[in-house]
Amino acid sequence: MFGRPLWVILLLLLVASLVWWRVPADDGQLSRTALVMGTLVEIKAFDDEKDKLDSAISAAFAEMTRLENLLSRHNPRSEISQLSAAAGPFTVSQETAELLQLGQSIARRSDGAFDLTLGALKKLWAIESDSPQIPTAAQLQSALSGIGPDALTLEGLQVQKQQPGLQVDLGGIAKGYAVDRALNVLRQAGIRSAAVNAGGDIALLGDRQGQPWRIGIQHPRKNGEVLVTLPLTDCAVVTSGDYERFFERDGSRYHHIFDPRTGRPARLTQSVTVVAKDAASADALATAAFVLGPQAGLQLLEDLPDVEGLLVGADGRLFRTSGLRRGD
Ligand code: FAD
Ligand code: MG
């Protein structure tokens, strides 16, 4: 190199510096985390322009926080809290109406295994609090009275509760919906490759630098161990398990996914993973299949177009829908 004229060396240095500036750190990937909806959310995206990535990810987090304020039962001013408090018909926003509609359609499709009206039951068990409790049979009966797919009716934006005291809880679907909306914000900002992960509710935009995203599914009984790795592109993958939020008493595990028929934690399943086009549907379907267990749960997923799933039964056996069965 030292034999070359000075201007050639300067030109090479100039070209090298231009290339350096055009390739952002870590191969164009930016990853950020934030606490939203009581969950650690990670957004990872790829683009050559770091500023664009940074502002798109900020906007995606802002969208999730906006939805938390709209849909959380932990926030007394949210639309969902106001709906739960309302004695008569209540008018909701277009997007809340659409989410309730989706939830109700999955509630019907799953014969009520997915249920948006379990708010009173959830409060009773208080599994996510510092002082969870095992309710009495009488308390369970009272919390279950009048719940189910017919307990809420929607006409346009107007929601009618069949009982004034009915408590709505979107804990089994709203996180997935928020993940979808966050991904949409990234898409609209011109990002072509991204992943939004809210504690196991994952939406994927495009692929990962020409390769499928490789999504590791957590083993429900071996902490930190991957059960199965799924290569996926441009879709959503959501896992519901009994190992994230639970307490143990007298050797029994009490977790946060309830069987609406008994009011107690569903007992047939350890975890369900659903792959679908959108995370809101995948979220609700994973909760529904968890309650239904290996037979009816897998059948529910198998019967739906563009939906696949894998389920770990209470005895640890792994079941897959036909689209996820390996050829071996
Ligand atoms: P999933 O299986 O997807 O859902 C389980 C949750 O769905 C339960 O927690 C319950 O809410 C509900 N559910 C239980 N059984 C059924 C059933 N049969 N049918 C339908 N739904 C059922 N957590 C906090 O600790 N603090 C917060 O401030 C907080 N804010 C939140 C705000 C929003 C808008 C949302 C959506 C969630 C929030 N969460 C918060 C988390 C929430 O309490 C649940 O833990 C979380 O949604 C469970 O998601 P999952 O993927 O683990 O389980
Ligand atoms: Mg769910």
Side-chain angles (χ1 to χ4, degrees):
M1 176 179 256
F2 290 108
R4 288 179 186 164
L6 186 61
W7 70 267
V8 174
I9 293 170
L10 286 174
L11 188 67
L12 285 173
L13 283 173
L14 180 68
V15 169
S17 71
L18 285 176
V19 170
W20 167 259
W21 283 115
R22 283 189 59 79
V23 179
D26 15 84
D27 296 339
Q29 176 188 315
L30 188 63
S31 170
R32 275 170 41 196
T33 53
L35 198 64
V36 193
M37 300 185 174
T39 306
L40 193 67
V41 180
E42 183 190 30
I43 301 184
K44 191 184 283 184
F46 289 87
D47 197 275
D48 285 345
E49 291 176 48
K50 199 149 195 281
D51 287 349
K52 176 172 145 190
L53 271 182
D54 201 42
S55 62
I57 291 178
S58 296
F61 276 125
E63 174 68 351
M64 292 186 84
T65 303
R66 181 186 72 79
L67 289 168
E68 176 172 10
N69 291 332
L70 185 74
L71 303 171
S72 177
R73 50 185 293 284
H74 299 264
N75 176 351
R77 290 192 304 277
S78 76
E79 219 167 58
I80 288 306
S81 295
Q82 289 179 46
L83 170 62
S84 290
F90 185 79
T91 304
V92 294
S93 61
Q94 182 71 38
E95 61 187 336
T96 300
E98 279 170 16
L99 188 56
L100 289 172
Q101 201 83 56
L102 176 66
Q104 285 294 81
S105 77
I106 294 175
R108 295 213 168 81
R109 183 111 206 182
S110 65
D111 286 331
F114 184 77
D115 191 330
L116 295 176
T117 63
L118 293 179
L121 188 74
K122 187 173 159 114
K123 214 177 272 177
L124 195 56
W125 283 88
I127 283 184
E128 281 146 20
S129 76
D130 293 335
S131 47
Q133 59 153 342
I134 302 171
T136 63
Q139 284 174 314
L140 287 178
Q141 201 182 0
S142 150
L144 292 178
S145 92
I147 64 147
D150 298 329
L152 274 185
T153 44
L154 277 113
E155 254 178 62
L157 302 182
Q158 202 177 71
V159 187
Q160 175 81 51
K161 299 189 295 182
Q162 298 311 307
Q163 275 186 33
L166 197 75
Q167 304 284 301
V168 179
D169 171 38
L170 301 184
I173 189 169
K175 204 146 54 88
Y177 179 72
V179 160
D180 285 331
R181 303 316 301 163
L183 202 77
N184 201 43
V185 167
L186 296 170
R187 185 187 288 116
Q188 287 185 341
I191 307 291
R192 294 283 160 264
S193 171
V196 180
N197 182 355
D201 285 30
I202 302 172
L204 303 170
L205 177 61
D207 58 24
R208 191 185 192 283
Q209 297 195 306
Q211 298 292 324
W213 296 89
R214 295 181 60 75
I215 306 298
I217 307 303
Q218 161 75 43
H219 192 297
R221 290 294 177 270
K222 295 181 186 163
N223 197 12
E225 192 170 305
V226 170
L227 177 73
V228 173
T229 299
L230 300 174
L232 297 169
T233 301
D234 232 356
C235 66
V237 52
V238 173
T239 300
S240 272
D242 66 1
Y243 51 88
E244 289 283 4
R245 296 182 187 235
F246 67 94
F247 68 97
E248 280 176 321
R249 204 163 286 170
D250 302 328
S252 286
R253 176 185 295 237
Y254 297 93
H255 61 83
H256 68 143
I257 304 171
F258 302 109
D259 185 333
R261 293 164 295 195
T262 62
R264 297 176 185 278
R267 290 278 175 234
L268 299 172
T269 316
Q270 292 179 1
S271 81
V272 179
T273 298
V274 173
V275 180
K277 283 184 170 169
D278 65 287
S281 303
D283 191 2
L285 287 169
T287 306
F290 189 103
V291 172
L292 291 169
Q295 260 192 325
L298 217 66
Q299 195 61 51
L300 169 76
L301 305 179
E302 194 74 76
D303 287 347
L304 289 163
D306 301 320
V307 172
E308 300 294 340
L310 50 94
L311 185 150
V312 181
D315 58 1
R317 276 176 66 199
L318 176 62
F319 302 85
R320 305 168 194 246
T321 55
S322 47
L324 289 186
R325 274 182 218 138
R326 280 173 296 185
D328 55 17

